[in-house]
Amino acid sequence: MLDKSKIGHQFEPFSADVEKGRIKFFAQSIGETNPVYFNEQAAQEAGYKTIIAPPTFPMSLDFESPAFLPVVGLLQLDIGRILHGSQTFNYYGQLYAGDSIKVTSKIKDIFDKKGGALEFVILETDYVNQDDELICQASQTLVYRNG
C-alpha cells in the first residue's frame, strides 16, 4: 500500500522557459494546424501578444523537473505498474512564447479501490508565469496496479 502520509507533499518547485520552437514542436506533435501556434503575425492578428501555447502544453513543462517523475521516487513506485488515469486542466490566463513558468506540484490525494488492487495518486500542479499570475492548474490521476 502506498504511504498516505505523503498526501499534501509538495515537490520542489522549478521554472521552465517557454520557447517558440518548443510550442511549434508540441503543436505539430498533436496535429494542431492553427497558425496562432506557429506564426507570430497570425497570433497577433488573432488578438494575442505573440505565439500562444496549445491548451495541453503545460504538462510538457513537467518534464523540466530536476528529478524525473519525482512522485515515482517519493512513493517508491515500480514504473511498470503505473497507468496514466486522467488529466484535467483549468485555465486562468494565456501561456505565451517567452514566458517563464514556475511549476509547483503536490500530492492531493491517495486512495485505493478493489481491496487495494488499484491505488490512485492525485497530483495537482500550478503553472505561474513571471508576473506571478496563475495561468493554469492541472490535476493528474496515476493508477498504480498492485499484484
Side-chain angles (χ1 to χ4, degrees):
M1 297 296 283
L2 300 179
D3 183 357
K4 292 183 181 180
S5 73
K6 302 298 184 191
I7 295 172
H9 177 85
Q10 183 171 316
F11 296 97
E12 187 68 33
F14 61 92
S15 293
D17 295 329
V18 179
E19 301 165 349
K20 291 178 185 176
R22 185 177 185 168
I23 290 174
K24 181 179 179 180
F25 178 80
F26 185 89
Q28 288 173 329
S29 70
I30 61 171
E32 185 58 63
T33 60
N34 189 329
V36 298
Y37 304 124
F38 306 98
N39 181 296
E40 188 151 347
Q41 183 177 349
Q44 290 173 345
E45 288 174 1
Y48 301 108
K49 65 181 181 184
T50 189
I51 292 171
I52 62 170
T56 57
F57 179 85
M59 58 79 55
S60 73
L61 300 175
D62 296 356
F63 298 108
E64 295 281 328
S65 172
F68 177 72
L69 300 174
V71 69
V72 171
L74 180 72
L75 296 177
Q76 299 178 343
L77 302 174
D78 174 353
I79 200 163
R81 295 164 51 188
I82 300 172
L83 300 171
H84 183 262
S86 68
Q87 190 156 15
T88 60
F89 298 90
N90 290 314
Y91 302 96
Y92 306 102
Q94 187 62 58
L95 202 155
Y96 290 100
D99 281 350
S100 180
I101 303 296
K102 181 179 176 185
V103 180
T104 305
S105 296
K106 69 178 179 183
I107 296 176
K108 188 173 180 182
D109 199 8
I110 300 173
F111 58 92
D112 64 273
K113 292 185 178 182
K114 300 194 180 267
L118 298 174
E119 295 186 272
F120 297 79
V121 179
I122 310 297
L123 297 169
E124 186 174 270
T125 303
D126 291 341
Y127 303 90
V128 176
N129 72 10
Q130 64 282 352
D131 298 321
D132 275 339
E133 297 170 332
L134 176 63
I135 300 300
C136 177
Q137 190 170 58
S139 179
Q140 179 181 21
T141 302
L142 301 177
V143 181
Y144 193 67
R145 297 175 290 124
N146 287 309

